[in-house]
Amino acid sequence: MTAPCALVIGAGPAGLMAAEELARAGCRVTVAEAKPSVGRKFLMAGKSGLNLTKDEPALRFNAAYGDATEWLQPMLAEFDATVVQDWARGLGQELFTGSSGRVFPVSMKASPLLRAWLARLDDLGVIRQTRWRWTGWAEHGAARFDTPDGPQELASDVTVLALGGASWARLGSDGAWANILAARGVEMAAFAPSNVAIEMDWSAHMVPHFGAALKSVRWHAGDLPSRGEATISRRGLEGGGIYSLTPALRSGAALSVDLVPDLSVEELAKRLRSKGSKARLSHWLKNGLRLPPAKVALFFEMTQGDPRPREKWVETLKALPVQTTGLRPMDEAISTAGGVARAALDDGLMLRAVPGVFCAGEMLDWDAPTGGYLLTGCLATGRWAGRAAARMAQNG
């Protein structure tokens, strides 16, 4: 009996995970990737240290997925932080967990893991085709591709789409697939940037501080808090402390920062009283509180033209309004919200409008901060879709 044929379109983490599950189930698997090589965004993410997952209680971990928590919970339960670590160790990767709970390979790189993963897929008989850009389906149902050898068609019993979101187009996630699916009646949610830097209209006063990190701060946007750091760049603020607030900032929420989160209002007021009534604000910030230059600069940048009376110093330190000019463009975002709507999919992540076609990874309408959540979500949904597609293929 001939083994069922499976097609995976997109060779990022979600697609490769789906391919592995399909191959393990006995399917003949072909992975088609539009770019010249696979895992390009995965490798880029690993340049600053490949954050595989986050080791923390399941309730806290799952809550990072916001409105999609209920939807993704079964998938995350089957491929949680512990399973992710076991999977990576199975590929020969030695891991360590940082003080924040973030899990990294000891090498800090993505390339050793990707090489080991591709070798495993080769052993499972998975075929990879690169420079194959998916353009939709032929009338008889075969997938169509533009390739270096001209147009190609490939028929399959099941297909998993893992085409990414709509950011970092140069790495393969351009969102062009959305129009193809919408034309087939697939319900879509509009793309929006996520985990993205904010733009600031800095004065010349801030130029000496470009590249400086704002550490030991607490940010707030709407109902979202963040204790992560951010870097002052020429164009604005970037870093994990800002990225996790994107859902609120997208909705127009105001941004503020507590520059001294480890000191209470009462303690600050006490310290200010001890300096006497003639203390100058700049002297108190620099010498009394010993704030680093970048924090002092941000304080005065955000209060230009609005000199704060002494009774407002403490209040402003604890909730400094940060005036932004918006979010950076979507293509610069680490990830995107939006994509294939939950209502368009069944419980196995199969498209209701296109039976036999499953979706996984960032092309689904879910959102999560950096810190291991994004990658775990892609791996978990890829595994879920791959297993569901394998069951369908095996059952004919």
Side-chain angles (χ1 to χ4, degrees):
M1 181 177 177
T2 304
C5 180
L7 172 62
V8 176
I9 305 178
L16 295 179
M17 183 59 75
E20 180 174 342
E21 293 299 325
L22 285 158
R24 289 188 182 282
C27 295
R28 293 174 292 132
V29 183
T30 297
V31 176
E33 167 59 41
K35 291 296 182 179
S37 58
V38 306
R40 293 164 83 92
K41 193 172 180 181
F42 181 63
L43 291 171
M44 178 63 76
K47 281 197 169 183
S48 57
L50 182 65
N51 188 181
L52 284 169
T53 191
K54 191 168 186 184
D55 191 359
E56 63 184 1
L59 283 177
R60 187 187 309 165
F61 186 92
N62 293 350
Y65 297 87
D67 293 340
T69 294
E70 179 186 359
W71 179 28
L72 298 181
Q73 192 279 328
M75 307 171 210
L76 295 169
E78 287 202 2
F79 206 71
D80 61 13
T82 299
V83 182
V84 170
Q85 292 175 75
D86 291 342
W87 168 79
R89 291 190 184 101
L91 288 169
Q93 304 305 299
E94 187 179 353
L95 309 177
F96 74 93
T97 303
S99 58
S100 66
R102 296 184 178 190
V103 179
F104 300 86
V106 169
S107 69
M108 294 297 287
K109 298 178 180 179
S111 50
L113 187 152
L114 181 59
R115 283 195 299 270
W117 197 3
L118 293 177
R120 174 188 286 178
L121 294 175
D122 289 343
D123 290 342
L124 289 168
V126 174
I127 297 171
R128 295 195 302 276
Q129 299 284 4
T130 55
R131 294 188 174 91
W132 277 39
R133 175 171 290 279
W134 180 58
T135 59
W137 291 283
E139 289 185 8
H140 55 84
R144 296 185 303 190
F145 298 90
D146 285 337
T147 81
D149 298 319
Q152 301 282 340
E153 293 185 0
L154 192 60
S156 61
D157 296 298
V158 292
T159 299
V160 176
L161 302 179
L163 293 157
S167 63
W168 292 46
R170 65 188 178 87
L171 299 179
S173 298
D174 59 12
W177 52 265
N179 291 332
I180 299 174
L181 295 189
R184 293 293 296 268
V186 175
E187 183 179 346
M188 304 290 297
F191 290 119
S194 188
N195 293 296
V196 66
I198 57 174
E199 291 186 331
M200 306 287 292
D201 187 13
W202 298 122
S203 70
H205 165 75
M206 293 299 293
V207 173
H209 304 284
F210 290 170
L214 295 164
K215 301 181 179 181
S216 298
V217 292
R218 181 183 290 114
W219 307 89
H220 284 89
D223 294 330
L224 293 181
S226 169
R227 189 61 194 265
E229 66 180 63
T231 299
I232 300 171
S233 72
R234 179 178 60 85
R235 297 185 296 182
L237 290 170
E238 56 190 61
I242 294 295
Y243 297 157
S244 62
L245 301 176
T246 307
L249 295 173
R250 278 198 310 258
S251 301
L255 177 65
S256 66
V257 60
D258 181 348
L259 294 174
V260 282
D262 297 320
L263 294 176
S264 67
V265 170
E266 293 74 22
E267 177 61 25
L268 282 170
K270 178 181 176 182
R271 293 190 183 194
L272 181 57
R273 286 194 299 270
S274 72
K275 296 299 178 182
S277 60
K278 295 184 178 180
R280 290 183 296 109
L281 176 57
S282 61
H283 187 273
W284 182 54
L285 296 177
K286 296 174 184 177
N287 300 319
L289 297 178
R290 299 188 180 279
L291 295 187
K295 284 189 177 182
V296 176
L298 183 67
F299 183 97
F300 285 110
E301 178 77 2
M302 293 297 107
T303 56
Q304 286 183 50
D306 182 24
R308 299 292 160 116
R310 183 185 178 92
E311 60 269 20
K312 295 289 186 180
W313 292 1
V314 169
E315 175 187 316
T316 306
L317 270 173
K318 297 296 289 181
L320 176 68
V322 179
Q323 303 301 322
T324 80
T325 57
L327 301 174
R328 293 296 302 163
M330 185 158 59
D331 193 52
E332 296 180 18
I334 293 175
S335 61
T336 50
V340 179
R342 178 180 180 179
L345 301 153
D346 71 6
D347 291 341
L349 298 181
M350 184 179 76
L351 292 172
R352 299 182 190 278
V354 194
V357 177
F358 299 74
C359 297
E362 276 194 62
M363 66 184 297
L364 304 178
D365 182 23
W366 58 273
D367 196 6
T370 57
Y373 304 108
L374 278 173
L375 184 52
T376 298
C378 288
L379 294 170
T381 56
R383 188 190 204 211
W384 189 268
R387 289 187 167 187
R391 287 193 296 270
M392 175 177 239
Q394 290 166 336
N395 294 331

